[in-house]
Amino acid sequence: FIAMVLVAAIAAGVLINTAGFLQSQAEATGQESTDLVSERIDATSTVGIVESTSNPSNLSEIRVGVAGAAGADQIDLSQTTIQAVGPNGQENLVFTDDQDAAVDSSGTDLSAVSDIPEGTYAVQNSSGAFVSAEEAVLNEDNRFTLVFNPTEEPFGDDSSTFGESDASSLDIVSPAGATTTVELRAPDLFSNQGEAVRL
């Protein structure tokens, strides 16, 4: 009888421990699933700005408007990674608010899209000003624009720039791991210098 009681007590202990472990694991999984939903980024627009040259066949800017998905919490865009595939390969792009971020730490602020170094993207606010990492936070009130330099890989390289008929895809991965895919395709022909074209 005593042996049976001991065996039953040990079995009960194992079951309680297992139940506690499974509960913790379920809570963690549930939180991860919630984060994937609540930290998803929506792309609201995709636009290219045509170069202001006498023969406009390339873009000077690639712009993707973003907002938090319905019910999203605050999303730190400076911690967001963008996996980009374009005419000149594949790159994992990270946030920059410094034109020399990929080279040194001189701290020079961005002043133009052409300053955005290879392997990075920048963020602009609704006024068109580049924002710092501290300011690049999506919430229910803020919308931003992700800005890419079409002369840098994977969009362009030393001999080419993203332009007419070119295509690219972006996987925007939030800090929680929620992924939004954006397809970019330039029109076959640009007509006006400096115009905005839908991608």
PDB file of all heavy atoms in Angstrom, residues 99-142:
ATOM      1  N   GLN A  99      24.584  59.387 -43.250  1.00  0.00           N
ATOM      2  CA  GLN A  99      25.045  59.069 -44.601  1.00  0.00           C
ATOM      3  C   GLN A  99      26.368  58.317 -44.607  1.00  0.00           C
ATOM      4  O   GLN A  99      26.728  57.696 -45.602  1.00  0.00           O
ATOM      5  CB  GLN A  99      25.151  60.336 -45.441  1.00  0.00           C
ATOM      6  CG  GLN A  99      26.226  61.305 -44.981  1.00  0.00           C
ATOM      7  CD  GLN A  99      26.284  62.526 -45.885  1.00  0.00           C
ATOM      8  OE1 GLN A  99      25.606  62.574 -46.902  1.00  0.00           O
ATOM      9  NE2 GLN A  99      27.077  63.496 -45.515  1.00  0.00           N
ATOM     10  N   ASP A 100      27.117  58.368 -43.492  1.00  0.00           N
ATOM     11  CA  ASP A 100      28.386  57.664 -43.423  1.00  0.00           C
ATOM     12  C   ASP A 100      28.299  56.416 -42.541  1.00  0.00           C
ATOM     13  O   ASP A 100      29.314  55.857 -42.140  1.00  0.00           O
ATOM     14  CB  ASP A 100      29.488  58.587 -42.880  1.00  0.00           C
ATOM     15  CG  ASP A 100      29.739  59.757 -43.815  1.00  0.00           C
ATOM     16  OD1 ASP A 100      29.841  59.506 -45.028  1.00  0.00           O
ATOM     17  OD2 ASP A 100      29.812  60.900 -43.347  1.00  0.00           O
ATOM     18  N   ALA A 101      27.061  55.969 -42.230  1.00  0.00           N
ATOM     19  CA  ALA A 101      26.895  54.867 -41.280  1.00  0.00           C
ATOM     20  C   ALA A 101      27.583  53.589 -41.752  1.00  0.00           C
ATOM     21  O   ALA A 101      28.065  52.804 -40.944  1.00  0.00           O
ATOM     22  CB  ALA A 101      25.413  54.595 -41.048  1.00  0.00           C
ATOM     23  N   ALA A 102      27.620  53.378 -43.054  1.00  0.00           N
ATOM     24  CA  ALA A 102      28.224  52.154 -43.561  1.00  0.00           C
ATOM     25  C   ALA A 102      29.737  52.262 -43.693  1.00  0.00           C
ATOM     26  O   ALA A 102      30.409  51.294 -44.009  1.00  0.00           O
ATOM     27  CB  ALA A 102      27.622  51.797 -44.913  1.00  0.00           C
ATOM     28  N   VAL A 103      30.280  53.458 -43.443  1.00  0.00           N
ATOM     29  CA  VAL A 103      31.707  53.677 -43.649  1.00  0.00           C
ATOM     30  C   VAL A 103      32.427  54.013 -42.348  1.00  0.00           C
ATOM     31  O   VAL A 103      33.414  53.405 -41.981  1.00  0.00           O
ATOM     32  CB  VAL A 103      31.936  54.816 -44.672  1.00  0.00           C
ATOM     33  CG1 VAL A 103      33.427  55.036 -44.900  1.00  0.00           C
ATOM     34  CG2 VAL A 103      31.239  54.505 -45.986  1.00  0.00           C
ATOM     35  N   ASP A 104      31.906  54.996 -41.624  1.00  0.00           N
ATOM     36  CA  ASP A 104      32.546  55.398 -40.372  1.00  0.00           C
ATOM     37  C   ASP A 104      31.495  55.959 -39.429  1.00  0.00           C
ATOM     38  O   ASP A 104      30.308  55.785 -39.653  1.00  0.00           O
ATOM     39  CB  ASP A 104      33.658  56.429 -40.635  1.00  0.00           C
ATOM     40  CG  ASP A 104      33.140  57.650 -41.383  1.00  0.00           C
ATOM     41  OD1 ASP A 104      32.023  58.115 -41.043  1.00  0.00           O
ATOM     42  OD2 ASP A 104      33.826  58.128 -42.298  1.00  0.00           O
ATOM     43  N   SER A 105      31.911  56.618 -38.387  1.00  0.00           N
ATOM     44  CA  SER A 105      30.970  57.150 -37.400  1.00  0.00           C
ATOM     45  C   SER A 105      31.111  58.660 -37.274  1.00  0.00           C
ATOM     46  O   SER A 105      31.074  59.214 -36.185  1.00  0.00           O
ATOM     47  CB  SER A 105      31.201  56.485 -36.044  1.00  0.00           C
ATOM     48  OG  SER A 105      32.549  56.674 -35.633  1.00  0.00           O
ATOM     49  N   SER A 106      31.289  59.329 -38.392  1.00  0.00           N
ATOM     50  CA  SER A 106      31.492  60.773 -38.357  1.00  0.00           C
ATOM     51  C   SER A 106      30.227  61.533 -37.981  1.00  0.00           C
ATOM     52  O   SER A 106      30.281  62.701 -37.630  1.00  0.00           O
ATOM     53  CB  SER A 106      31.996  61.267 -39.718  1.00  0.00           C
ATOM     54  OG  SER A 106      31.019  61.035 -40.719  1.00  0.00           O
ATOM     55  N   GLY A 107      29.061  60.873 -38.078  1.00  0.00           N
ATOM     56  CA  GLY A 107      27.835  61.499 -37.619  1.00  0.00           C
ATOM     57  C   GLY A 107      27.222  62.502 -38.560  1.00  0.00           C
ATOM     58  O   GLY A 107      26.451  63.358 -38.147  1.00  0.00           O
ATOM     59  N   THR A 108      27.525  62.435 -39.824  1.00  0.00           N
ATOM     60  CA  THR A 108      26.943  63.360 -40.790  1.00  0.00           C
ATOM     61  C   THR A 108      25.495  62.979 -41.066  1.00  0.00           C
ATOM     62  O   THR A 108      25.199  61.849 -41.412  1.00  0.00           O
ATOM     63  CB  THR A 108      27.741  63.341 -42.110  1.00  0.00           C
ATOM     64  OG1 THR A 108      29.105  63.597 -41.824  1.00  0.00           O
ATOM     65  CG2 THR A 108      27.217  64.383 -43.074  1.00  0.00           C
ATOM     66  N   ASP A 109      24.572  63.925 -40.898  1.00  0.00           N
ATOM     67  CA  ASP A 109      23.163  63.630 -41.093  1.00  0.00           C
ATOM     68  C   ASP A 109      22.832  63.495 -42.574  1.00  0.00           C
ATOM     69  O   ASP A 109      23.454  64.117 -43.427  1.00  0.00           O
ATOM     70  CB  ASP A 109      22.299  64.742 -40.493  1.00  0.00           C
ATOM     71  CG  ASP A 109      22.377  64.764 -38.975  1.00  0.00           C
ATOM     72  OD1 ASP A 109      22.658  63.710 -38.400  1.00  0.00           O
ATOM     73  OD2 ASP A 109      22.168  65.841 -38.395  1.00  0.00           O
ATOM     74  N   LEU A 110      21.801  62.700 -42.848  1.00  0.00           N
ATOM     75  CA  LEU A 110      21.313  62.581 -44.215  1.00  0.00           C
ATOM     76  C   LEU A 110      20.735  63.906 -44.679  1.00  0.00           C
ATOM     77  O   LEU A 110      20.059  64.611 -43.924  1.00  0.00           O
ATOM     78  CB  LEU A 110      20.215  61.521 -44.283  1.00  0.00           C
ATOM     79  CG  LEU A 110      20.633  60.052 -44.167  1.00  0.00           C
ATOM     80  CD1 LEU A 110      19.396  59.180 -44.059  1.00  0.00           C
ATOM     81  CD2 LEU A 110      21.455  59.636 -45.352  1.00  0.00           C
ATOM     82  N   SER A 111      20.988  64.244 -45.934  1.00  0.00           N
ATOM     83  CA  SER A 111      20.381  65.441 -46.500  1.00  0.00           C
ATOM     84  C   SER A 111      19.666  65.143 -47.808  1.00  0.00           C
ATOM     85  O   SER A 111      18.875  65.959 -48.272  1.00  0.00           O
ATOM     86  CB  SER A 111      21.446  66.517 -46.731  1.00  0.00           C
ATOM     87  OG  SER A 111      22.451  66.036 -47.614  1.00  0.00           O
ATOM     88  N   ALA A 112      19.939  63.977 -48.412  1.00  0.00           N
ATOM     89  CA  ALA A 112      19.301  63.609 -49.677  1.00  0.00           C
ATOM     90  C   ALA A 112      19.276  62.091 -49.794  1.00  0.00           C
ATOM     91  O   ALA A 112      20.052  61.387 -49.138  1.00  0.00           O
ATOM     92  CB  ALA A 112      20.067  64.213 -50.856  1.00  0.00           C
ATOM     93  N   VAL A 113      18.368  61.600 -50.643  1.00  0.00           N
ATOM     94  CA  VAL A 113      18.266  60.150 -50.846  1.00  0.00           C
ATOM     95  C   VAL A 113      19.573  59.588 -51.390  1.00  0.00           C
ATOM     96  O   VAL A 113      19.964  58.463 -51.063  1.00  0.00           O
ATOM     97  CB  VAL A 113      17.085  59.831 -51.784  1.00  0.00           C
ATOM     98  CG1 VAL A 113      17.056  58.351 -52.138  1.00  0.00           C
ATOM     99  CG2 VAL A 113      15.775  60.248 -51.140  1.00  0.00           C
ATOM    100  N   SER A 114      20.285  60.370 -52.194  1.00  0.00           N
ATOM    101  CA  SER A 114      21.560  59.905 -52.753  1.00  0.00           C
ATOM    102  C   SER A 114      22.616  59.688 -51.669  1.00  0.00           C
ATOM    103  O   SER A 114      23.637  59.051 -51.925  1.00  0.00           O
ATOM    104  CB  SER A 114      22.078  60.895 -53.801  1.00  0.00           C
ATOM    105  OG  SER A 114      22.228  62.186 -53.228  1.00  0.00           O
ATOM    106  N   ASP A 115      22.385  60.217 -50.455  1.00  0.00           N
ATOM    107  CA  ASP A 115      23.311  60.014 -49.342  1.00  0.00           C
ATOM    108  C   ASP A 115      23.128  58.664 -48.656  1.00  0.00           C
ATOM    109  O   ASP A 115      23.972  58.248 -47.860  1.00  0.00           O
ATOM    110  CB  ASP A 115      23.124  61.104 -48.269  1.00  0.00           C
ATOM    111  CG  ASP A 115      23.532  62.481 -48.766  1.00  0.00           C
ATOM    112  OD1 ASP A 115      24.401  62.557 -49.647  1.00  0.00           O
ATOM    113  OD2 ASP A 115      22.976  63.475 -48.261  1.00  0.00           O
ATOM    114  N   ILE A 116      22.009  57.993 -48.920  1.00  0.00           N
ATOM    115  CA  ILE A 116      21.732  56.724 -48.242  1.00  0.00           C
ATOM    116  C   ILE A 116      22.724  55.676 -48.737  1.00  0.00           C
ATOM    117  O   ILE A 116      22.769  55.361 -49.922  1.00  0.00           O
ATOM    118  CB  ILE A 116      20.288  56.251 -48.516  1.00  0.00           C
ATOM    119  CG1 ILE A 116      19.287  57.293 -48.012  1.00  0.00           C
ATOM    120  CG2 ILE A 116      20.022  54.903 -47.861  1.00  0.00           C
ATOM    121  CD1 ILE A 116      17.847  57.010 -48.397  1.00  0.00           C
ATOM    122  N   PRO A 117      23.553  55.122 -47.823  1.00  0.00           N
ATOM    123  CA  PRO A 117      24.601  54.197 -48.265  1.00  0.00           C
ATOM    124  C   PRO A 117      24.070  52.804 -48.593  1.00  0.00           C
ATOM    125  O   PRO A 117      22.937  52.455 -48.240  1.00  0.00           O
ATOM    126  CB  PRO A 117      25.561  54.155 -47.079  1.00  0.00           C
ATOM    127  CG  PRO A 117      24.771  54.605 -45.910  1.00  0.00           C
ATOM    128  CD  PRO A 117      23.642  55.438 -46.403  1.00  0.00           C
ATOM    129  N   GLU A 118      24.908  52.027 -49.244  1.00  0.00           N
ATOM    130  CA  GLU A 118      24.562  50.649 -49.591  1.00  0.00           C
ATOM    131  C   GLU A 118      24.228  49.851 -48.332  1.00  0.00           C
ATOM    132  O   GLU A 118      24.843  50.028 -47.279  1.00  0.00           O
ATOM    133  CB  GLU A 118      25.735  49.988 -50.322  1.00  0.00           C
ATOM    134  CG  GLU A 118      25.458  48.553 -50.756  1.00  0.00           C
ATOM    135  CD  GLU A 118      26.641  47.910 -51.453  1.00  0.00           C
ATOM    136  OE1 GLU A 118      27.578  48.647 -51.840  1.00  0.00           O
ATOM    137  OE2 GLU A 118      26.636  46.679 -51.608  1.00  0.00           O
ATOM    138  N   GLY A 119      23.233  48.971 -48.462  1.00  0.00           N
ATOM    139  CA  GLY A 119      22.864  48.100 -47.345  1.00  0.00           C
ATOM    140  C   GLY A 119      21.956  48.739 -46.326  1.00  0.00           C
ATOM    141  O   GLY A 119      21.703  48.166 -45.271  1.00  0.00           O
ATOM    142  N   THR A 120      21.432  49.931 -46.640  1.00  0.00           N
ATOM    143  CA  THR A 120      20.590  50.635 -45.675  1.00  0.00           C
ATOM    144  C   THR A 120      19.368  51.246 -46.347  1.00  0.00           C
ATOM    145  O   THR A 120      19.279  51.342 -47.569  1.00  0.00           O
ATOM    146  CB  THR A 120      21.365  51.775 -44.973  1.00  0.00           C
ATOM    147  OG1 THR A 120      21.686  52.791 -45.923  1.00  0.00           O
ATOM    148  CG2 THR A 120      22.651  51.266 -44.334  1.00  0.00           C
ATOM    149  N   TYR A 121      18.428  51.675 -45.510  1.00  0.00           N
ATOM    150  CA  TYR A 121      17.282  52.478 -45.942  1.00  0.00           C
ATOM    151  C   TYR A 121      17.109  53.592 -44.919  1.00  0.00           C
ATOM    152  O   TYR A 121      17.663  53.538 -43.814  1.00  0.00           O
ATOM    153  CB  TYR A 121      16.002  51.628 -46.037  1.00  0.00           C
ATOM    154  CG  TYR A 121      15.525  51.102 -44.700  1.00  0.00           C
ATOM    155  CD1 TYR A 121      14.606  51.822 -43.928  1.00  0.00           C
ATOM    156  CD2 TYR A 121      15.999  49.891 -44.199  1.00  0.00           C
ATOM    157  CE1 TYR A 121      14.195  51.345 -42.696  1.00  0.00           C
ATOM    158  CE2 TYR A 121      15.585  49.421 -42.975  1.00  0.00           C
ATOM    159  CZ  TYR A 121      14.678  50.145 -42.221  1.00  0.00           C
ATOM    160  OH  TYR A 121      14.269  49.687 -41.001  1.00  0.00           O
ATOM    161  N   ALA A 122      16.370  54.616 -45.280  1.00  0.00           N
ATOM    162  CA  ALA A 122      16.102  55.720 -44.362  1.00  0.00           C
ATOM    163  C   ALA A 122      14.592  55.872 -44.196  1.00  0.00           C
ATOM    164  O   ALA A 122      13.800  55.265 -44.920  1.00  0.00           O
ATOM    165  CB  ALA A 122      16.722  57.011 -44.889  1.00  0.00           C
ATOM    166  N   VAL A 123      14.211  56.687 -43.218  1.00  0.00           N
ATOM    167  CA  VAL A 123      12.798  56.914 -42.929  1.00  0.00           C
ATOM    168  C   VAL A 123      12.526  58.415 -42.941  1.00  0.00           C
ATOM    169  O   VAL A 123      13.287  59.195 -42.356  1.00  0.00           O
ATOM    170  CB  VAL A 123      12.413  56.316 -41.557  1.00  0.00           C
ATOM    171  CG1 VAL A 123      10.963  56.652 -41.208  1.00  0.00           C
ATOM    172  CG2 VAL A 123      12.623  54.808 -41.545  1.00  0.00           C
ATOM    173  N   GLN A 124      11.452  58.799 -43.627  1.00  0.00           N
ATOM    174  CA  GLN A 124      11.021  60.195 -43.641  1.00  0.00           C
ATOM    175  C   GLN A 124       9.644  60.324 -43.003  1.00  0.00           C
ATOM    176  O   GLN A 124       8.821  59.404 -43.086  1.00  0.00           O
ATOM    177  CB  GLN A 124      10.966  60.731 -45.076  1.00  0.00           C
ATOM    178  CG  GLN A 124      12.323  60.933 -45.722  1.00  0.00           C
ATOM    179  CD  GLN A 124      12.213  61.495 -47.131  1.00  0.00           C
ATOM    180  OE1 GLN A 124      11.198  61.327 -47.797  1.00  0.00           O
ATOM    181  NE2 GLN A 124      13.256  62.152 -47.599  1.00  0.00           N
ATOM    182  N   ASN A 125       9.403  61.479 -42.386  1.00  0.00           N
ATOM    183  CA  ASN A 125       8.088  61.751 -41.803  1.00  0.00           C
ATOM    184  C   ASN A 125       7.163  62.361 -42.856  1.00  0.00           C
ATOM    185  O   ASN A 125       7.537  62.490 -44.028  1.00  0.00           O
ATOM    186  CB  ASN A 125       8.214  62.648 -40.564  1.00  0.00           C
ATOM    187  CG  ASN A 125       8.844  63.999 -40.869  1.00  0.00           C
ATOM    188  OD1 ASN A 125       8.837  64.471 -42.005  1.00  0.00           O
ATOM    189  ND2 ASN A 125       9.387  64.628 -39.839  1.00  0.00           N
ATOM    190  N   SER A 126       5.977  62.751 -42.438  1.00  0.00           N
ATOM    191  CA  SER A 126       4.984  63.261 -43.390  1.00  0.00           C
ATOM    192  C   SER A 126       5.393  64.588 -44.019  1.00  0.00           C
ATOM    193  O   SER A 126       4.844  64.987 -45.053  1.00  0.00           O
ATOM    194  CB  SER A 126       3.625  63.413 -42.700  1.00  0.00           C
ATOM    195  OG  SER A 126       3.737  64.278 -41.579  1.00  0.00           O
ATOM    196  N   SER A 127       6.370  65.260 -43.416  1.00  0.00           N
ATOM    197  CA  SER A 127       6.870  66.523 -43.973  1.00  0.00           C
ATOM    198  C   SER A 127       8.036  66.310 -44.929  1.00  0.00           C
ATOM    199  O   SER A 127       8.564  67.276 -45.491  1.00  0.00           O
ATOM    200  CB  SER A 127       7.301  67.462 -42.839  1.00  0.00           C
ATOM    201  OG  SER A 127       6.220  67.737 -41.984  1.00  0.00           O
ATOM    202  N   GLY A 128       8.473  65.062 -45.087  1.00  0.00           N
ATOM    203  CA  GLY A 128       9.576  64.767 -45.984  1.00  0.00           C
ATOM    204  C   GLY A 128      10.944  64.905 -45.344  1.00  0.00           C
ATOM    205  O   GLY A 128      11.965  64.838 -46.033  1.00  0.00           O
ATOM    206  N   ALA A 129      10.991  65.069 -44.011  1.00  0.00           N
ATOM    207  CA  ALA A 129      12.269  65.187 -43.312  1.00  0.00           C
ATOM    208  C   ALA A 129      12.743  63.807 -42.857  1.00  0.00           C
ATOM    209  O   ALA A 129      11.938  62.975 -42.419  1.00  0.00           O
ATOM    210  CB  ALA A 129      12.128  66.108 -42.104  1.00  0.00           C
ATOM    211  N   PHE A 130      14.049  63.544 -42.968  1.00  0.00           N
ATOM    212  CA  PHE A 130      14.608  62.302 -42.458  1.00  0.00           C
ATOM    213  C   PHE A 130      14.517  62.311 -40.933  1.00  0.00           C
ATOM    214  O   PHE A 130      14.748  63.347 -40.290  1.00  0.00           O
ATOM    215  CB  PHE A 130      16.066  62.145 -42.889  1.00  0.00           C
ATOM    216  CG  PHE A 130      16.231  61.905 -44.365  1.00  0.00           C
ATOM    217  CD1 PHE A 130      16.648  62.924 -45.207  1.00  0.00           C
ATOM    218  CD2 PHE A 130      15.957  60.673 -44.917  1.00  0.00           C
ATOM    219  CE1 PHE A 130      16.803  62.714 -46.560  1.00  0.00           C
ATOM    220  CE2 PHE A 130      16.101  60.442 -46.272  1.00  0.00           C
ATOM    221  CZ  PHE A 130      16.521  61.462 -47.105  1.00  0.00           C
ATOM    222  N   VAL A 131      14.180  61.154 -40.354  1.00  0.00           N
ATOM    223  CA  VAL A 131      14.016  61.076 -38.904  1.00  0.00           C
ATOM    224  C   VAL A 131      15.111  60.206 -38.295  1.00  0.00           C
ATOM    225  O   VAL A 131      15.703  59.343 -38.957  1.00  0.00           O
ATOM    226  CB  VAL A 131      12.626  60.527 -38.514  1.00  0.00           C
ATOM    227  CG1 VAL A 131      11.527  61.417 -39.063  1.00  0.00           C
ATOM    228  CG2 VAL A 131      12.441  59.095 -39.013  1.00  0.00           C
ATOM    229  N   SER A 132      15.362  60.432 -37.008  1.00  0.00           N
ATOM    230  CA  SER A 132      16.357  59.657 -36.271  1.00  0.00           C
ATOM    231  C   SER A 132      15.743  58.343 -35.806  1.00  0.00           C
ATOM    232  O   SER A 132      14.524  58.133 -35.890  1.00  0.00           O
ATOM    233  CB  SER A 132      16.843  60.448 -35.058  1.00  0.00           C
ATOM    234  OG  SER A 132      15.781  60.612 -34.129  1.00  0.00           O
ATOM    235  N   ALA A 133      16.580  57.468 -35.275  1.00  0.00           N
ATOM    236  CA  ALA A 133      16.110  56.177 -34.775  1.00  0.00           C
ATOM    237  C   ALA A 133      15.069  56.359 -33.673  1.00  0.00           C
ATOM    238  O   ALA A 133      14.090  55.608 -33.589  1.00  0.00           O
ATOM    239  CB  ALA A 133      17.293  55.354 -34.263  1.00  0.00           C
ATOM    240  N   GLU A 134      15.273  57.370 -32.815  1.00  0.00           N
ATOM    241  CA  GLU A 134      14.353  57.597 -31.709  1.00  0.00           C
ATOM    242  C   GLU A 134      12.964  58.030 -32.198  1.00  0.00           C
ATOM    243  O   GLU A 134      11.954  57.769 -31.548  1.00  0.00           O
ATOM    244  CB  GLU A 134      14.908  58.666 -30.757  1.00  0.00           C
ATOM    245  CG  GLU A 134      16.146  58.266 -29.985  1.00  0.00           C
ATOM    246  CD  GLU A 134      17.412  58.283 -30.840  1.00  0.00           C
ATOM    247  OE1 GLU A 134      17.417  58.954 -31.914  1.00  0.00           O
ATOM    248  OE2 GLU A 134      18.387  57.614 -30.461  1.00  0.00           O
ATOM    249  N   GLU A 135      12.928  58.684 -33.354  1.00  0.00           N
ATOM    250  CA  GLU A 135      11.656  59.200 -33.880  1.00  0.00           C
ATOM    251  C   GLU A 135      10.947  58.208 -34.791  1.00  0.00           C
ATOM    252  O   GLU A 135       9.743  58.365 -35.051  1.00  0.00           O
ATOM    253  CB  GLU A 135      11.916  60.491 -34.659  1.00  0.00           C
ATOM    254  CG  GLU A 135      12.519  61.614 -33.845  1.00  0.00           C
ATOM    255  CD  GLU A 135      12.964  62.777 -34.708  1.00  0.00           C
ATOM    256  OE1 GLU A 135      13.677  62.533 -35.719  1.00  0.00           O
ATOM    257  OE2 GLU A 135      12.604  63.914 -34.388  1.00  0.00           O
ATOM    258  N   ALA A 136      11.650  57.207 -35.279  1.00  0.00           N
ATOM    259  CA  ALA A 136      11.091  56.302 -36.291  1.00  0.00           C
ATOM    260  C   ALA A 136      10.264  55.192 -35.643  1.00  0.00           C
ATOM    261  O   ALA A 136      10.580  54.005 -35.739  1.00  0.00           O
ATOM    262  CB  ALA A 136      12.217  55.698 -37.131  1.00  0.00           C
ATOM    263  N   VAL A 137       9.181  55.588 -34.983  1.00  0.00           N
ATOM    264  CA  VAL A 137       8.325  54.633 -34.282  1.00  0.00           C
ATOM    265  C   VAL A 137       6.903  54.763 -34.807  1.00  0.00           C
ATOM    266  O   VAL A 137       6.270  55.827 -34.678  1.00  0.00           O
ATOM    267  CB  VAL A 137       8.354  54.868 -32.755  1.00  0.00           C
ATOM    268  CG1 VAL A 137       7.420  53.877 -32.055  1.00  0.00           C
ATOM    269  CG2 VAL A 137       9.770  54.736 -32.215  1.00  0.00           C
ATOM    270  N   LEU A 138       6.406  53.690 -35.415  1.00  0.00           N
ATOM    271  CA  LEU A 138       5.028  53.670 -35.901  1.00  0.00           C
ATOM    272  C   LEU A 138       4.066  53.492 -34.739  1.00  0.00           C
ATOM    273  O   LEU A 138       4.285  52.656 -33.865  1.00  0.00           O
ATOM    274  CB  LEU A 138       4.820  52.506 -36.869  1.00  0.00           C
ATOM    275  CG  LEU A 138       5.205  52.668 -38.332  1.00  0.00           C
ATOM    276  CD1 LEU A 138       4.985  51.350 -39.066  1.00  0.00           C
ATOM    277  CD2 LEU A 138       4.435  53.783 -38.996  1.00  0.00           C
ATOM    278  N   ASN A 139       2.996  54.275 -34.728  1.00  0.00           N
ATOM    279  CA  ASN A 139       1.892  54.053 -33.808  1.00  0.00           C
ATOM    280  C   ASN A 139       0.613  54.473 -34.513  1.00  0.00           C
ATOM    281  O   ASN A 139       0.621  54.750 -35.723  1.00  0.00           O
ATOM    282  CB  ASN A 139       2.104  54.799 -32.478  1.00  0.00           C
ATOM    283  CG  ASN A 139       2.323  56.285 -32.676  1.00  0.00           C
ATOM    284  OD1 ASN A 139       1.669  56.903 -33.516  1.00  0.00           O
ATOM    285  ND2 ASN A 139       3.237  56.864 -31.907  1.00  0.00           N
ATOM    286  N   GLU A 140      -0.491  54.555 -33.768  1.00  0.00           N
ATOM    287  CA  GLU A 140      -1.762  54.854 -34.428  1.00  0.00           C
ATOM    288  C   GLU A 140      -1.817  56.265 -34.997  1.00  0.00           C
ATOM    289  O   GLU A 140      -2.669  56.567 -35.841  1.00  0.00           O
ATOM    290  CB  GLU A 140      -2.907  54.637 -33.444  1.00  0.00           C
ATOM    291  CG  GLU A 140      -2.839  55.506 -32.219  1.00  0.00           C
ATOM    292  CD  GLU A 140      -3.956  55.210 -31.234  1.00  0.00           C
ATOM    293  OE1 GLU A 140      -4.632  54.176 -31.393  1.00  0.00           O
ATOM    294  OE2 GLU A 140      -4.136  56.001 -30.300  1.00  0.00           O
ATOM    295  N   ASP A 141      -0.917  57.136 -34.554  1.00  0.00           N
ATOM    296  CA  ASP A 141      -0.919  58.517 -35.040  1.00  0.00           C
ATOM    297  C   ASP A 141       0.129  58.783 -36.119  1.00  0.00           C
ATOM    298  O   ASP A 141      -0.011  59.733 -36.883  1.00  0.00           O
ATOM    299  CB  ASP A 141      -0.670  59.487 -33.879  1.00  0.00           C
ATOM    300  CG  ASP A 141      -1.760  59.396 -32.819  1.00  0.00           C
ATOM    301  OD1 ASP A 141      -2.939  59.286 -33.200  1.00  0.00           O
ATOM    302  OD2 ASP A 141      -1.422  59.423 -31.620  1.00  0.00           O
ATOM    303  N   ASN A 142       1.195  57.983 -36.151  1.00  0.00           N
ATOM    304  CA  ASN A 142       2.323  58.253 -37.039  1.00  0.00           C
ATOM    305  C   ASN A 142       2.323  57.352 -38.263  1.00  0.00           C
ATOM    306  O   ASN A 142       2.099  56.143 -38.153  1.00  0.00           O
ATOM    307  CB  ASN A 142       3.652  58.057 -36.302  1.00  0.00           C
ATOM    308  CG  ASN A 142       3.867  59.101 -35.240  1.00  0.00           C
ATOM    309  OD1 ASN A 142       3.296  60.186 -35.287  1.00  0.00           O
ATOM    310  ND2 ASN A 142       4.702  58.789 -34.267  1.00  0.00           N
TER     311      ASN A 142
END
